[in-house]
């Protein structure tokens, strides 16, 4: 924890602290902090700081780099380095402070979070300060005095004073210019390379020991230092002096303009109502196809191009749709690898998904795409990557997707992104300004793919963001991670629910059946209607109107799925008027359907005595095996061999198993190990309720966690609490006096819950258990965060009977 940060937080009022908590929701995620020191620890976490940096635009990051270079970093000196007026720098500085990434001390000097300093090892392309090199243990007093003589400054005094004098000379452009007048030829060119393209460069180490070379002359005067034989570095002060007094660090307070063109909002809305239902319908068709034919994976991972083309052809999708929807289904856990079938098959979640209403199904797909860490339509060297294969972009691909849609959401209403090639580059420049920590090359690669994927999902129409896209773009900070099974915050967001409902409002639930054995749907078909027609007919076209054609083969395919003629005609009649020609076709195919039958045989039972087999076939207790005579000495049964053997033995017969080779097969079975007792334990559930949980359960039953408190309301509580009194000295005394049921070691662990916020599992009298952390002592009770309840609860110290470490 940074003491400077804590001291600054204590000076803030409720409004300023509330702005910080609003910008840094991670700081008040459960268990939310109740003291400023706990808040400072959260705000200074390295991971949290980097996530906050990713959400800031270029001016903030340019300002942060300037703060790392200037000493002391006052706002005036930072503005001077940037070459900008102070009033132009102040808003961006306030934005850094409102994210608790920078803060002023009592003297007005700016401090940065430690993780920000670690991120830039060479801010503005500058190296370490001079004292970093001269204060090294490898630099002796004699070496410092030699440096002073080379610079023409007094060498008397202690090491620190001589280093300060050397720093003043090397940081002064006038002194450095005068010094370089006596340098060997080529020295200025060498130093300029380090000043502008440094601070570290590969060198020929031998030239640093040869007298008269620019390298040795520069090293003797402290202009270059070598951490290793073939690498040299230039101190920060020297590089700034060489860049000259006219140098200003980059500062771009104005975002690059995005090239736009006017667009008709009604047309954009119409395209959304076509694309969104189409995506849901095609996704259901793909999953139905994989349920019939599992999708095999390549030995190197992923789905091969040939399989993608096969699925696309069989489902009527184009290849781009197939690639995108397969990967979305995998992230949404609608499609997964099945070892038994040897391929990707629909999961049980698909069975629940297909029963949801259309808008809910659409939101599941959009939520999965929003957090997906692969770009389905990204081209690398002109080629697509392998579907469901490894993507070298990873989480950055998801960040690119969210950054692009966020920028499009801020375009004025009634405008769209210009489709001209040069104008498309303006989008990349603007996105990189808004999210400068994204890799520029990756952004340029993925941006076209993001736009195409968004178009296929109904998020983009005529290069303008639809209402559905705007609703999703507003959830960029709550997208979740690809490893999440689902993200309820996104899938149940009110704005996205409303937009997805409107996107599917125009779907058609009826068809026009023609006497030419065709079915026409004028508009986007509902997924249920499309699935029905796909089962019975062959799709001929799609678009503003979709056309299916009924053939004997397509009708037979529906009958093969288990339909009867009457049932099939009844379902078709529910979506339109069935013409006589279609009625005749269905009945004609049904008459010829089943002329040849195929039955499944579980096992074969043989005996040389026909009377014995007749007795077995007639045995009432063996009726469940489905045994029937094929010949006097051959029985076939519906059950498998293992079940048939057990049933015959239970009823007094003496069968043996025979392998495929004709030999008797004997298998020894291992007796099952006895299971433990059915003991359980009591746990706290959300709302303070108590439930019993079996010891064999894998995890605690979790309810919906309580939402984080309102930032401004919580800021008032933190300010009112003020600086918490130091209770470390009395923690052990109170626990030792009140928690008398605990041994000494467990009392110590409970003390760490209070003083260090560690997690522990406790058991109270009556068998009640809870997982706690971030505790405080309140009289004779422990007030701690309870993970099962999702809130802070009080536990009487005298009733705690056991404390265990929780991992």
């Amino acid at each position: 924890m940074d003491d400077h940060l804590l001291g600054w937080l204590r000076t803030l009022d409720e409004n300023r602290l509330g702005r910080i908590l609003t910008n840094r929701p991670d700081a008040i995620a459960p268990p939310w902090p109740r003291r400023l020191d706990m808040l400072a620890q959260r705000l200074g976490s390295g991971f949290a700081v980097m996530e906050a940096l990713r959400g800031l635009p270029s001016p903030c990051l340019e300002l942060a780099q300037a703060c790392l270079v200037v000493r002391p970093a006052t706002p005036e000196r930072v503005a001077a380095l940037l070459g900008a007026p102070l009033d132009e720098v102040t808003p961006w500085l306030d934005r850094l402070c409102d994210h608790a990434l920078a803060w002023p001390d009592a003297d007005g000097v700016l401090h940065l979070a430690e993780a920000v300093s670690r991120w830039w090892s060479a801010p503005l392309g500058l190296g370490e300060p001079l004292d970093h090199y001269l204060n090294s243990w490898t630099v002796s007093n004699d070496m410092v005095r030699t440096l002073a003589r080379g610079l023409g400054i007094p060498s008397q005094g202690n090491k620190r004073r001589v280093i300060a004098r050397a720093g003043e000379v090397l940081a002064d452009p006038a002194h450095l210019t005068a010094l370089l007048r006596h340098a060997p030829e080529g020295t200025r060119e060498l130093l300029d390379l380090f000043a502008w393209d440094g601070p570290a460069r590969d060198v020929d180490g031998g030239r640093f020991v040869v007298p008269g070379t620019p390298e040795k002359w520069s090293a003797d005067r402290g202009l270059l230092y070598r951490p290793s034989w073939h690498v040299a570095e230039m101190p920060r002060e020297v590089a700034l002096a060489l860049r000259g007094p006219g140098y200003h660090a980059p500062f771009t307070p104005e975002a690059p303009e995005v090239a736009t063109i006017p667009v008709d909002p009604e047309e954009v809305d119409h395209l959304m109502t076509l694309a969104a239902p189409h995506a849901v319908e095609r996704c259901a068709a793909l999953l139905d196809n994989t349920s019939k034919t599992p999708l095999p994976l390549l030995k190197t991972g992923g789905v091969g191009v040939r399989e993608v083309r096969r699925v696309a052809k069989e489902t009527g999708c184009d290849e781009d749709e197939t690639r995108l929807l397969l990967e979305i289904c995998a992230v949404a856990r609608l499609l997964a690898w099945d070892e038994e079938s040897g391929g990707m098959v629909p999961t049980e979640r698909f069975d629940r998904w297909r029963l949801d209403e259309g808008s809910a199904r659409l939101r599941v797909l959009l939520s999965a795409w929003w957090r997906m860490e692969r770009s389905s339509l990204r081209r690398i060297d002109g080629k697509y990557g392998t579907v469901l294969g490894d993507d070298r972009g990873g989480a950055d691909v998801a960040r690119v997707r969210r950054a692009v849609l966020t920028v499009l959401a801020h375009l004025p209403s009634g405008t769209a992104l210009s489709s001209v090639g040069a104008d498309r580059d303006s989008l990349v420049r603007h996105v990189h300004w808004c999210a400068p920590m994204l890799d520029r090359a990756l952004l340029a690669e993925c941006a076209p793919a993001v736009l195409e994927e968004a178009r296929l999902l109904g998020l983009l129409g005529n290069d303008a963001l639809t209402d559905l896209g705007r609703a999703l773009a507003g959830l960029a900070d709550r997208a979740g991670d690809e490893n999440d099974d689902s993200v309820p915050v996104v899938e149940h967001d009110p704005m996205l629910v409303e937009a997805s409902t409107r996107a599917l409002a125009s779907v058609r639930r009826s068809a026009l059946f023609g006497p030419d054995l065709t079915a026409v749907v004028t508009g986007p078909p509902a997924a249920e209607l499309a699935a029905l027609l796909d089962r019975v007919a062959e799709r001929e076209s799609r678009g503003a109107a979709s056309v299916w054609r009924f053939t004997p083969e397509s009708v037979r395919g529906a009958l093969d799925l288990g339909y009867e003629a009457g049932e099939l005609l009844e379902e078709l009649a529910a979506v339109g008027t069935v013409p006589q020609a279609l009625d005749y076709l269905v009945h004609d195919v049904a008459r010829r359907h089943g002329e040849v039958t195929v039955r499944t045989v579980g096992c074969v039972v043989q005996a040389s005595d026909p009377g014995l087999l007749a007795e077995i076939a007639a045995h009432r207790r063996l009726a469940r095996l489905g045994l029937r005579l094929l010949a006097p000495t051959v029985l076939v049964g519906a059950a498998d061999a293992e079940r048939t053997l057990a049933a015959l033995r239970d009823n007094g017969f003496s069968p043996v198993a025979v392998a495929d080779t004709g030999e008797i097969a004997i298998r020894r079975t291992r007796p099952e190990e006895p299971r433990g007792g059915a003991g359980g334990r009591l746990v706290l559930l959300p709302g303070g309720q108590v439930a019993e949980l079996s010891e064999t359960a894998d995890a605690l039953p979790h309810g919906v966690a309580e939402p984080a408190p309102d930032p401004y309301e919580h800021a008032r509580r933190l300010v009112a609490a003020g600086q918490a009194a130091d209770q470390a000295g009395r923690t052990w005394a109170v626990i030792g006096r009140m928690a008398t049921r605990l041994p000494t070691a467990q009392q110590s662990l409970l003390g760490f819950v209070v003083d260090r916020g560690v997690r522990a599992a406790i058991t109270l009298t009556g068998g009640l258990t809870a997982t706690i952390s971030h505790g405080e002592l309140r009289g004779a009770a422990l007030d701690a965060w309870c993970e099962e309840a999702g809130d802070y609860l009080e536990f009487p110290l005298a009733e705690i009977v056991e404390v265990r470490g929780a991992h």
Side-chain angles (χ1 to χ4, degrees):
M1 181 180 63
D2 194 313
D3 292 335
H4 292 291
L5 173 59
L6 177 58
W8 177 65
L9 291 176
R10 287 171 175 161
T11 67
L12 302 182
D13 59 17
E14 297 173 2
N15 289 333
R16 187 66 184 274
L17 188 58
R19 289 208 305 270
I20 294 175
L21 299 183
T22 301
N23 292 324
R24 296 285 301 275
D26 55 286
I28 52 174
W32 44 83
R34 297 183 294 181
R35 301 194 308 263
L36 286 176
D37 57 340
M38 297 171 61
L39 176 63
Q41 188 173 7
R42 289 261 189 109
L43 292 173
S45 166
F47 178 79
V49 167
M50 295 311 301
E51 285 299 310
L53 274 179
R54 287 192 176 97
L56 294 178
S58 286
C60 291
L61 272 63
E62 292 164 345
L63 183 59
Q65 290 190 73
C67 291
L68 291 173
V69 170
V70 174
R71 287 189 174 186
T74 61
E76 294 77 13
R77 290 171 61 89
V78 170
L81 177 62
L82 297 174
L86 181 60
D87 59 352
E88 191 174 2
V89 173
T90 301
W92 300 107
L93 179 59
D94 289 342
R95 193 163 178 180
L96 273 178
C97 294
D98 285 346
H99 284 76
L101 302 177
W103 55 88
D105 62 14
D107 299 324
V109 177
L110 298 171
H111 297 267
L112 294 180
E114 185 180 350
V116 177
S117 305
R118 289 199 303 267
W119 173 255
W120 281 292
S121 58
L124 301 178
L126 299 169
E128 298 286 350
L130 183 65
D131 56 11
H132 168 80
Y133 300 99
L134 294 182
N135 284 322
S136 171
W137 64 271
T138 60
V139 178
S140 64
N141 291 336
D142 291 340
M143 295 173 67
V144 172
R145 292 190 182 95
T146 301
L147 171 64
R149 287 193 294 270
L151 294 174
I153 60 176
S155 59
Q156 297 83 7
N158 59 32
K159 181 179 179 181
R160 180 171 298 179
R161 181 170 297 180
V162 176
I163 290 175
R165 292 173 189 158
E168 293 174 0
V169 170
L170 294 175
D172 187 351
H175 280 82
L176 192 57
T177 300
L179 184 66
L180 288 174
R181 292 195 188 102
H182 308 288
E185 184 179 355
T187 302
R188 182 67 194 224
E189 291 77 7
L190 172 69
L191 295 178
D192 281 344
L193 287 174
F194 280 89
W196 294 100
D197 298 321
R201 296 179 63 88
D202 294 336
V203 295
D204 181 0
R207 293 180 61 82
F208 280 79
V209 296
V210 177
T213 61
E215 288 82 358
K216 179 164 177 54
W217 187 90
S218 301
D220 289 344
R221 286 154 183 80
L223 306 178
L224 294 177
Y225 292 86
R226 283 190 305 156
S228 62
W229 181 257
H230 289 296
V231 176
E233 298 177 0
M234 176 175 283
R236 180 176 301 173
E237 297 87 344
V238 176
L240 283 173
L242 287 171
R243 293 181 182 184
Y247 165 74
H248 295 297
F251 186 59
T252 53
E254 298 294 332
E257 186 177 355
V258 180
T260 59
I261 57 175
V263 68
D264 183 3
E266 292 186 1
E267 185 177 355
V268 173
D269 188 66
H270 175 66
L271 292 174
M272 174 186 71
T273 60
L274 291 178
H278 178 79
V280 176
E281 177 221 325
R282 291 298 86 198
C283 184
L286 286 174
L287 291 169
D288 281 332
N289 182 274
T290 55
S291 67
K292 302 171 188 174
T293 308
L295 202 60
L297 299 182
L298 301 171
K299 292 182 179 179
T300 55
V303 181
V305 175
R306 187 175 299 173
E307 282 298 318
V308 172
R309 290 174 178 168
R310 177 190 64 79
V311 174
K313 181 178 180 181
E314 293 178 1
T315 58
C317 294
D318 61 37
E319 288 188 31
D320 286 354
E321 283 180 319
T322 305
R323 299 176 63 85
L324 174 62
L325 294 178
L326 284 176
E327 295 196 326
I328 288 177
C329 288
V331 176
R333 307 297 191 268
L334 301 175
L335 191 67
W337 171 259
D338 180 64
E339 189 71 34
E340 184 176 347
S341 59
M344 302 287 287
V345 298
T347 64
E348 292 181 0
R349 180 167 296 178
F350 168 61
D351 298 329
R352 298 192 297 270
W353 176 82
R354 71 189 312 170
L355 295 177
D356 282 338
E357 61 177 1
S359 60
R361 280 180 277 175
L362 175 61
R363 293 195 299 274
V364 169
L365 301 181
L366 295 181
S367 174
W369 179 75
W370 201 221
R371 65 183 185 271
M372 187 169 71
E373 297 181 0
R374 290 180 294 277
S375 179
S376 304
L377 304 183
R378 170 189 175 198
R379 291 180 181 270
I380 302 175
D381 298 329
K383 297 180 180 179
Y384 286 138
T386 304
V387 176
L388 297 176
D390 294 334
D391 192 304
R392 65 188 184 194
D396 285 341
V397 171
R399 295 190 183 101
V400 167
R401 180 182 300 116
R402 296 193 281 266
V404 169
L405 258 67
T406 301
V407 168
L408 293 177
H410 287 89
L411 293 180
S413 179
T415 61
L417 181 67
S418 177
S419 58
V420 180
D423 293 343
R424 284 292 180 100
D425 294 339
S426 67
L427 174 66
V428 174
R429 291 193 297 270
H430 188 99
V431 172
H432 195 259
W433 183 90
C434 294
M437 294 185 71
L438 290 174
D439 182 76
R440 182 68 176 267
L442 179 67
L443 175 60
E445 263 185 359
C446 291
V450 170
L451 299 178
E452 181 60 20
E453 292 170 11
R455 183 188 65 79
L456 292 173
L457 295 173
L459 305 171
L460 203 67
N462 281 350
D463 290 327
L465 215 58
T466 64
D467 290 342
L468 195 63
R470 292 182 184 276
L472 189 63
L475 301 169
D477 58 339
R478 291 173 281 176
D481 186 79
E482 188 180 72
N483 295 322
D484 298 330
D485 287 348
S486 64
V487 183
V489 174
V490 174
E491 295 170 13
H492 300 287
D493 178 74
M495 291 187 63
L496 190 61
V497 169
E498 180 184 354
S500 61
T501 302
R502 278 191 287 109
L504 297 182
S506 63
V507 296
R508 300 291 186 264
R509 304 186 184 278
S510 61
L512 300 174
F513 295 105
D516 59 346
L517 297 178
T518 60
V520 180
V521 179
T522 56
E528 298 82 359
L529 175 61
L532 171 62
L533 295 178
D534 282 339
R535 287 194 295 268
V536 188
E538 297 175 356
R539 191 185 293 237
E540 290 189 340
S541 66
R542 64 181 68 250
S546 302
V547 179
W548 283 262
R549 180 170 298 279
F550 295 91
T551 65
E553 292 76 14
S554 65
V555 173
R556 186 173 63 244
L559 298 177
D560 289 341
L561 293 175
Y563 277 102
E564 295 181 358
E567 180 186 6
L568 184 57
L569 289 171
E570 183 180 347
E571 289 195 16
L572 292 174
V575 297
T577 303
V578 178
Q580 192 176 46
L582 180 56
D583 184 276
Y584 285 165
L585 174 65
V586 172
H587 282 102
D588 183 59
V589 174
R591 272 194 305 272
R592 290 181 284 111
H593 192 260
E595 292 176 345
V596 178
T597 61
V598 178
R599 300 188 67 172
T600 300
V601 174
C603 67
V604 177
V605 180
Q606 291 178 293
S608 57
D609 184 357
L612 177 60
L613 285 188
E615 179 186 353
I616 292 175
H619 203 294
R620 287 193 303 171
R621 293 185 180 179
L622 299 177
R624 63 184 184 275
L625 299 179
L627 297 171
R628 58 190 183 277
L629 281 169
L630 288 186
T633 59
V634 180
L635 279 175
V636 293
D640 58 32
E642 188 170 348
R643 181 181 167 192
T644 302
L645 280 168
L648 290 172
R649 288 167 179 163
D650 289 344
N651 287 276
F653 299 98
S654 301
V656 293
V658 178
D660 293 339
T661 59
E663 299 177 354
I664 294 177
I666 298 177
R667 183 179 61 188
R668 294 182 174 87
T669 58
R670 181 176 298 175
E672 294 185 2
E673 296 181 1
R675 297 188 178 185
R681 56 194 177 101
L682 298 176
V683 295
L684 283 172
L685 297 177
Q689 297 179 348
V690 179
E692 185 172 2
L693 180 69
S694 170
E695 292 291 351
T696 59
D698 294 330
L700 292 174
H702 292 289
V704 178
E706 293 290 330
D710 176 78
Y712 287 92
E713 180 184 347
H714 197 63
R716 284 193 293 272
R717 288 200 292 263
L718 288 170
V719 171
Q723 182 178 359
D726 184 12
Q727 61 180 7
R730 68 184 185 89
T731 297
W732 312 104
V734 172
I735 291 177
R737 187 174 67 254
M738 304 301 298
T740 55
R741 297 174 182 266
L742 298 176
T744 304
Q746 295 185 20
Q747 289 180 349
S748 299
L749 179 57
L750 199 61
F752 287 132
V753 173
V754 176
D755 287 343
R756 301 184 185 179
V758 302
R759 295 175 69 241
I762 62 172
T763 303
L764 289 85
T765 55
L768 186 70
T769 67
T771 305
I772 62 171
S773 62
H774 301 85
E776 290 184 357
L777 294 176
R778 298 188 183 277
L782 173 65
D783 187 3
W785 176 264
C786 176
E787 295 184 6
E788 290 79 11
D791 203 349
Y792 285 97
L793 299 179
E794 287 192 0
F795 302 92
L797 289 170
E799 295 184 13
I800 301 177
V801 297
E802 184 183 13
V803 181
R804 305 178 305 279
H807 304 288

